[in-house]
Amino acid sequence: MASASTALKETKQHLRKTIGQRVRALTPEQVQFQSKEVCERVLKMPQYQRASNIGVYLSMPNGEILTNDIVNHALENGKKVFVPFIHGAKGASRIDMLALTSKVDYESLDQDAWGIPSLKQESIARRENALGGWGIEESRSQRPLLDIIVLPGVAFDVRKARLGHGKGYYDRYLQEYRACLPERYPQMPYLVGIALQEQLLGAEESIPTDSTDWYLDEIVVHRN
């Protein structure tokens, strides 16, 4: 008999496959159309408008909401933008959220194998870390900085649960972020998932979760 954890992993993997098939059926034009509407709604959110420091993923060319409009708007309006940087040995890799310095910096990023704009290794040490300090050093000289984090996902449900790609990067990052908060100010960033319509499960469906999974504060999904 499969253990509960094995059954959970298998259920999640089946869901990733099902949603992946839906998303792959979309044309680039459909993804761009949905992305424009979702990003416009994010930019109107009070939590975004009040934010000084935002964390946001840099998107693949297809298969998820494109975040270019959010990144550019934030940089143009004087917000500090932190983006994921994956590092570490295989099997023990993690993310840190590191700052972009300008639109020119953002536009100069090279794409990785998945077409995602990525920070250059030689620039890491001089980038501000959202957990404090610079680069990926371990010392933290201040409380974490982020006011809002815009997260990707493979699927989302009406309970505001999120299904990632299975690496656990964001769940572990949020746990680390919470551990860095001072006891007198344990305020987490506002967590926003953004989704294509095909990534949102029906009202009667739910994403299986365990104690390591984080729920979001809000999901912004394309509306017909």
Side-chain angles (χ1 to χ4, degrees):
M1 181 180 294
S3 68
S5 62
T6 299
L8 182 71
K9 289 179 181 178
E10 291 177 349
T11 302
K12 286 184 173 183
Q13 195 56 33
H14 176 73
L15 187 54
R16 290 186 184 100
K17 182 177 180 180
T18 299
I19 299 299
Q21 290 172 340
R22 293 183 198 171
V23 170
R24 284 192 295 274
L26 297 172
T27 66
E29 292 75 20
Q30 288 172 316
V31 172
Q32 291 169 8
F33 178 79
Q34 292 198 39
S35 297
K36 179 176 175 58
E37 191 260 345
V38 167
C39 289
E40 286 177 349
R41 288 167 53 204
V42 170
L43 299 182
K44 293 176 181 177
M45 291 173 54
Q47 293 85 357
Y48 169 83
Q49 294 179 350
R50 291 195 301 264
S52 298
N53 302 297
I54 75 166
V56 58
Y57 72 94
L58 300 182
S59 50
M60 296 183 288
N62 207 358
E64 61 187 357
I65 292 293
L66 310 177
T67 57
N68 186 61
D69 287 351
I70 296 173
V71 175
N72 279 322
H73 183 276
L75 291 170
E76 289 167 0
N77 286 272
K79 298 181 189 293
K80 191 170 289 185
V81 177
F82 293 81
V83 300
F85 175 67
I86 300 174
H87 60 95
K90 186 176 181 180
S93 56
R94 49 173 285 186
I95 64 169
D96 272 289
M97 301 293 282
L98 304 180
L100 297 173
T101 59
S102 66
K103 281 191 68 176
V104 172
D105 179 33
Y106 174 49
E107 292 166 357
S108 73
L109 300 182
D110 295 327
Q111 294 183 351
D112 66 12
W114 294 274
I116 302 170
S118 300
L119 302 178
K120 298 179 178 66
Q121 183 66 48
E122 59 268 24
S123 75
I124 298 307
R126 61 178 182 268
R127 293 185 184 276
E128 189 174 7
N129 191 311
L131 293 180
W134 299 83
I136 54 176
E137 62 187 35
E138 292 300 322
S139 60
R140 307 301 185 197
S141 59
Q142 61 193 56
R143 73 173 181 85
L145 297 171
L146 298 176
D147 302 305
I148 185 172
I149 304 178
V150 179
L151 296 103
V154 174
F156 303 85
D157 68 22
V158 296
R159 301 177 303 148
K160 302 176 186 174
R162 166 188 168 272
L163 177 69
H165 288 277
K167 300 293 187 180
Y169 288 134
Y170 283 98
D171 291 321
R172 291 197 302 274
Y173 181 78
L174 293 173
Q175 183 64 37
E176 182 181 9
Y177 192 103
R178 183 166 62 183
C180 289
L181 291 171
E183 292 183 6
R184 293 186 178 183
Y185 188 77
Q187 181 64 46
M188 287 293 291
Y190 195 75
L191 304 180
V192 182
I194 55 177
L196 300 163
Q197 187 175 41
E198 289 73 14
Q199 293 178 300
L200 183 67
L201 302 187
E204 302 303 318
E205 301 175 284
S206 63
I207 293 169
T209 59
D210 61 22
S211 60
T212 66
D213 294 307
W214 283 72
Y215 284 81
L216 304 170
D217 295 301
E218 186 168 348
I219 297 170
V220 182
V221 61
H222 171 68
R223 299 179 296 203
N224 284 330

